[in-house]
Amino acid sequence: MAHPPVPNPGIRADSAARTPITPGSAPARWGATAVFAGGSTLLSGIGELTTNVAGGPGTREGDPTGLVTDAVVLLDGGRVAWAGPAREARDAVGRALGGREPDVTVDAGGRAVIPGFVDSHTHLVFAGDRAAEFEARMAGRPYAAGGIRSTVAATRAASDDDLRAGLARHLDEAARQGTTTVEVKSGYGLTVADEERSVRLARERTPEVTFLGAHVVPAEYAGRDDAYVDLVCGDMLAACAPHARWVDVFCETGAFTPEQSRRVLQAGADAGLGVRVHANQLGPGEGVRLAVELGAAAVDHCTYLTDDDVAALAGSWSAGGSPAGVPGTVATLLPGVEFSTRQPYPDARRLLDAGAVVALASDCNPGSSYTSSMPLCVALAVRETGMTVAEAVWSATAGGALALRRDDVGHLAPGARADVVLLDAPSRTHLAYRPGVPLVAATWKDGARLPARENPGPSR
Ligand code: NIG
Ligand code: FE
């Protein structure tokens, strides 16, 4: 296997996961209802384990994906207690459990195990769909930012319970495809009340909530863009910040200018929010460099990049590229968008070869990318953006964690959250090799196994 040239800045075998699990906190309510909370689970008979831990037990020197063959993972109390080769497991598991037997044992039967996917970019608080717009695109009409406004109208008209139900349905759909951490943005409300409602409802399900009041200028502010930016930076931000961790802006022709974007991001940062940016999706622009300059955790889309953009992204990870102790800016690619809009795919190879850090995310939304499937994103990234399988799986797990500045997910070191996916396949390669096939056999979130979906079978 080719070793990904990507750096693995946040994750080392000796890194301690720091974020505590608070009983009853949002992550425990993520996705489908778990059937087994607490206790220990021993996953044995793993043919191929991706830990994303460089230098962990049984890994090969210099492999950022920390691949282990014939492996075992022990989950205990919602955390990974141990992960490594079967030949070391008896002693290591005994030590980790202090002589206790595991509560549950699962034989993977030679199948592959990976960390749960970290989907760092979705827009899941919305109502309605835009199938007709998609159909028109497939008949030749180009994608434009303005389509967002039709989802805004449907979202404003929806009840809280309708929005909650849609969010729950999409989160459940994602969980069944192996997503165990998800970011959710607002951006289809675009009034103070509707944006506040969006971030509040998102916060009921995930701690990774992003305020995207600056998604597009709503129809009632047509021709008064700056007045809308004033609202976003003023009353709207004040109402939304208590529910959000991040601020985001769509910096693109037809949405917000670099100057307006800077105002929004600076106001969000001043309110204590972390910065992330939508940029360079529909054409070249200043968004990527603005994101790097402001120390954004991630800049997403990155479809149209100049050499300067690539150098800025890579430079943010080099010594002195960011303030001491602050990670650089992740380039998050969203290949579901190019699939659904017939735009050219971004060039991951160019970014990786330059030393940038790349994440993959779904961008699940009813307009530009109506998929919640991280396995599909991995397949598209491998087929269309120049990534190796190892790089794509790393980017969809550890890369997503870096894009959210999380050190407790995206890898399987002792102390990390017990977010684990068992694939119905002998290797992670099958994620790209068998596109469109449901390959997730089981998912554990915080050590709890998500229930198997009732499957009536094709003949009933
Ligand atoms: O990330 N680019 C801006 N926002 C979304 C699209 C939203 C929509 O079309 O409804 C995106 O692609
Ligand atoms: Fe988006």
Side-chain angles (χ1 to χ4, degrees), residues 121-123 185 188 212 215 248 250 278 281 300-301 334 337 362-365 368:
H121 184 143
T122 79
H123 304 247
K185 298 175 200 300
Y188 292 122
L212 180 58
H215 199 184
D248 194 347
F250 187 16
H278 280 71
Q281 172 188 357
D300 299 21
H301 287 288
L334 312 165
V337 172
S362 72
D363 196 8
C364 189
N365 75 79
S368 64

Side-chain angles (χ1 to χ4, degrees), residues 112-152:
V113 166
I114 61 173
F117 291 115
V118 179
D119 190 350
S120 61
H121 184 143
T122 79
H123 304 247
L124 291 180
V125 185
F126 70 89
D129 78 34
R130 285 162 36 206
E133 180 190 313
F134 175 80
E135 204 170 340
R137 266 205 308 278
M138 296 305 111
R141 196 204 290 168
Y143 175 81
I148 292 169
R149 292 193 189 93
S150 70
T151 300
V152 170

Side-chain angles (χ1 to χ4, degrees), residues 68-93:
V68 186
T69 52
D70 188 13
V72 165
V73 175
L74 176 66
L75 315 178
D76 191 23
R79 298 284 179 170
V80 175
W82 189 78
R87 63 179 180 276
E88 294 176 25
R90 180 189 286 269
D91 289 352
V93 168

